[in-house]
């Protein structure tokens, strides 16, 4: 095997770099579900930009639309000026996403990252209610800026803040307290004026905790949460940055519960092509921003508006994408379930096309991820102790590609088990 030339990364690039350590090669090109490194070795991508590449790398339909736009000197940087690209995107969000689902929301363009959308959502909820406290959940992940970190669980990430992370109180996520009614603590503290927990502006939740270890909230749990918030005048924020854009089957991950959150955050795959973009959706009466109250230089990434719009129109007109994702997800689930029967000390969980293979011995997950890389498969680990190998293939992966990747994963687990 050729050793990759990585000197400049090791001598010049900051220590903060992360994924390059797990995947020590230099990637060059990519198409669909496949990445190719500079030596021509191919890797099947079951990571998909942490969920930013639901439509695959360099999706040909999106690429052509982007090329046409660039060649035509379409606006690239637009702050929040009105542009043809943004009008097209807003009209498509209305016609393809909102109207068919009976959803009435206003659309905000925050800065182009998930964390920025979360910051905007938290600011708005506090402004509307005049309250400062927020409830979040155990093992949550909402991003790296201070507000987003304050509602994130991971201790190492929190420690990086360098200031106290306050005004947020974590509640047990679905299944966190095994065998206990998950809401008994939350309901009791909310309804006891002397519980010591201030009445919150909002509750922020992921329907499936991606970074937190592929923890899946049941539909009835999400419904109960929505009811509990509504009855108490607490705003419900669903952070759909990773699980939205069809990852769990339907476009919005909360559709499975039949709820309509007060505020929704989207990013990662909303730009379609891996280009930065984020959205905050809010019920119309909650749009209490004053002009420019939340702003940002890169809110108008019009190239992402073009690819995001084409992705919505191409993939989300009709119910085909949802049905295909659920069918492929079932294929993945069956394969993983069979693996847990073969390999003791493993279990699996997931929804749609996000799945985790959980190892009782957490150290095995990192080894499996590392061997998988050598075999030509990219899978990352997640969870409190990085005990979960997380599968996040592009939604456009074919059944053959999924079978191939699952075969490589099986082989990686065999190798790790044999070495034991
Ligand atoms: C990735 C992620 C974020 C943060 O998005 P960035 O673009 O990295 O700032 C927020 N929430 C969830 C659920 C995420 O998965």
């Amino acid at each position: 095997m050729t050793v990759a030339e990585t000197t400049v990364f090791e001598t010049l690039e900051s220590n903060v770099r992360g994924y390059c350590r797990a995947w020590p090669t230099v990637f060059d090109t990519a198409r669909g579900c496949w990445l190719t490194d500079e030596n021509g070795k191919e890797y099947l991508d079951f990571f998909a930009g942490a969920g930013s590449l639901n439509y695959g790398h360099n999706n040909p339909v999106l690429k052509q639309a982007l090329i046409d736009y660039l060649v035509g000197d379409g606006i690239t940087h637009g702050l929040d000026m009105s542009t043809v690209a943004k009008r097209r995107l807003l009209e498509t969000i209305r016609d393809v996403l909102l109207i068919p689902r009976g959803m009435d929301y206003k659309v905000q363009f925050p800065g182009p990252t998930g964390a920025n959308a979360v910051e905007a959502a938290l600011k708005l909820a506090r402004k509307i209610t005049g309250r400062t406290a927020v409830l979040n959940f155990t093992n949550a992940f909402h991003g790296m800026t201070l507000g987003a970190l304050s509602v994130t669980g991971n201790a190492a990430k929190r420690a990086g803040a360098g200031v106290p992370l306050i005004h947020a109180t974590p509640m047990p996520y679905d299944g966190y307290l095994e065998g206990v009614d998950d809401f008994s603590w939350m309901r009791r503290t909310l309804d006891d004026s002397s519980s010591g927990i201030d009445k919150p502006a909002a509750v922020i939740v992921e329907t499936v905790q991606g970074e937190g270890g592929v923890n899946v909230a049941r539909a009835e749990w999400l419904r109960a949460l929505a009811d509990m918030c509504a009855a108490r005048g607490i705003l419900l924020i669903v952070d759909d940055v990773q699980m939205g854009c069809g990852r769990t089957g339907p476009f919005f991950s909360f559709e499975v519960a039949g709820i309509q959150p007060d505020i929704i955050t989207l990013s990662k795959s909303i730009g379609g092509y891996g280009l930065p973009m984020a959205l905050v959706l809010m019920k119309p009466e909650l749009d209490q921003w004053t002009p420019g109250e939340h702003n940002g230089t890169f809110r108008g990434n019009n190239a992402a508006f073009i690819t995001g719009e084409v992705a919505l129109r191409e993939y989300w007109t009709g119910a085909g994408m949802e049905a295909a994702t659920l069918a492929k997800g079932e294929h993945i689930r069956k394969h993983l379930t069979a693996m847990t029967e073969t390999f003791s000390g493993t279990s699996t969980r997931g929804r749609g096309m996000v799945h985790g293979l959980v190892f009782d011995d957490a150290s095995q997950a990192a080894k499996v991820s590392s061997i998988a890389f050598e075999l030509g498969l990219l899978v990352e680990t997640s969870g409190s102790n990085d005990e979960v190998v997380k599968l996040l293939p592009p939604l456009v992966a074919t059944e053959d590609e999924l079978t191939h990747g699952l075969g490589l994963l099986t082989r990686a687990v065999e190798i790790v088990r044999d070495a034991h």
Side-chain angles (χ1 to χ4, degrees):
M1 204 180 8
T2 323
V3 178
E5 171 51 55
T6 56
T7 311
V8 75
F9 305 113
E10 281 139 28
T11 56
L12 188 62
E13 190 181 356
S14 163
N15 277 324
V16 79
R17 65 195 192 281
Y19 287 113
C20 57
R21 299 172 197 270
W23 297 323
T25 190
V26 181
F27 296 102
D28 192 14
T29 60
R31 187 161 185 151
C33 303
W34 294 86
L35 285 147
T36 306
D37 72 13
E38 61 181 346
N39 297 314
K41 181 171 172 183
E42 296 192 323
Y43 300 83
L44 185 56
D45 188 0
F46 275 20
F47 169 63
S52 303
L53 293 161
N54 284 2
Y55 312 106
H57 293 266
N58 292 310
N59 180 297
V61 180
L62 309 187
K63 181 163 69 178
Q64 194 56 53
L66 181 60
I67 289 169
D68 293 346
Y69 187 71
L70 295 175
V71 167
D73 280 338
I75 299 284
T76 296
H77 181 276
L79 283 156
D80 64 355
M81 292 183 283
S82 295
T83 62
V84 170
K86 191 200 267 193
R87 181 170 59 207
R88 221 180 280 156
L89 173 64
L90 283 167
E91 287 171 351
T92 299
I93 289 173
R94 181 192 62 202
D95 297 343
V96 172
L97 291 185
L98 300 180
I99 290 176
R101 290 170 178 77
M103 291 171 68
D104 188 14
Y105 286 81
K106 297 281 289 285
V107 180
Q108 176 185 359
F109 293 85
T113 65
N116 199 289
V118 168
E119 295 291 341
L122 294 174
K123 280 163 78 169
L124 184 61
R126 287 180 166 127
K127 176 180 161 119
I128 291 165
T129 60
R131 304 175 208 134
T132 51
V134 168
L135 297 184
N136 58 319
F137 289 96
T138 49
N139 300 113
F141 180 84
H142 297 289
M144 288 291 107
T145 51
L146 290 182
L149 261 185
S150 74
V151 288
T152 288
N154 186 287
K157 301 276 191 282
R158 291 177 66 86
V163 294
L165 295 171
I166 52 176
H167 305 311
T169 306
M171 290 287 149
Y173 194 69
D174 191 11
Y176 192 73
L177 304 169
E178 282 165 47
V180 176
D181 166 22
D182 302 272
F183 288 126
S184 48
W185 167 254
M186 187 165 168
R187 204 175 281 123
R188 181 95 176 86
T189 54
L190 283 175
D191 293 341
D192 177 358
S193 61
S194 295
S195 68
I197 291 178
D198 295 333
K199 183 167 182 183
V203 171
I204 183 164
V205 68
E206 301 153 272
T207 62
V208 177
Q209 296 181 321
E211 301 303 303
V214 195
N215 306 313
V216 183
R218 290 163 299 150
E220 57 266 36
W221 186 89
L222 292 167
R223 269 194 298 276
L225 177 63
D227 290 346
M228 199 161 44
C229 289
R232 289 164 182 78
I234 300 164
L235 297 174
L236 179 63
I237 303 168
V238 169
D239 180 353
D240 233 5
V241 165
Q242 189 166 141
M243 295 304 148
C245 303
R247 176 51 59 185
T248 67
F251 185 85
F252 294 105
S253 69
F254 51 79
E255 289 179 56
V256 69
I259 60 170
Q260 295 210 350
D262 297 297
I263 303 175
I264 304 157
T265 56
L266 290 170
S267 189
K268 294 213 162 92
S269 275
I270 191 66
Y273 200 68
L275 295 172
M277 176 175 152
L279 296 176
V280 180
L281 308 186
M282 72 217 49
K283 297 258 179 78
E285 66 275 16
L286 302 181
D287 185 19
Q288 295 177 21
W289 291 115
T290 55
E293 194 174 11
H294 185 85
N295 67 21
T297 306
F298 288 106
R299 282 170 297 156
N301 185 5
N302 280 251
F305 297 168
I306 290 292
T307 50
E309 192 271 335
V310 175
L312 292 181
R313 201 158 24 84
E314 185 75 16
Y315 289 100
W316 294 100
T317 307
M321 189 71 174
E322 174 174 347
T325 299
L326 293 175
K328 290 175 199 173
E330 185 56 19
H331 178 70
I332 298 169
R333 193 192 63 76
K334 278 194 186 131
H335 193 109
L336 289 175
T337 303
M339 283 179 75
T340 63
E341 283 154 13
T342 310
F343 302 114
S344 60
T346 63
S347 56
T348 185
R349 54 191 182 228
R351 170 177 288 151
M353 278 176 79
V354 51
H355 286 270
L357 183 62
V358 189
F359 289 83
D360 292 350
D361 172 2
S363 71
Q364 293 201 337
K367 289 181 193 150
V368 166
S369 170
S370 170
I371 300 286
F373 168 76
E374 285 171 28
L375 297 175
L377 174 71
L378 302 185
V379 280
E380 76 163 337
T381 58
S382 74
S384 302
N385 303 304
D386 282 327
E387 72 281 18
V388 183
V389 171
K390 178 173 146 188
L391 276 57
L392 216 58
L395 304 185
V396 295
T398 63
E399 205 150 297
D400 282 351
E401 285 169 328
L402 293 174
T403 303
H404 180 65
L406 289 162
L408 294 176
L409 181 67
T410 305
R411 183 76 198 112
V413 179
E414 278 167 3
I415 291 170
V416 169
R417 285 295 161 100
D418 289 349
H420 221 61

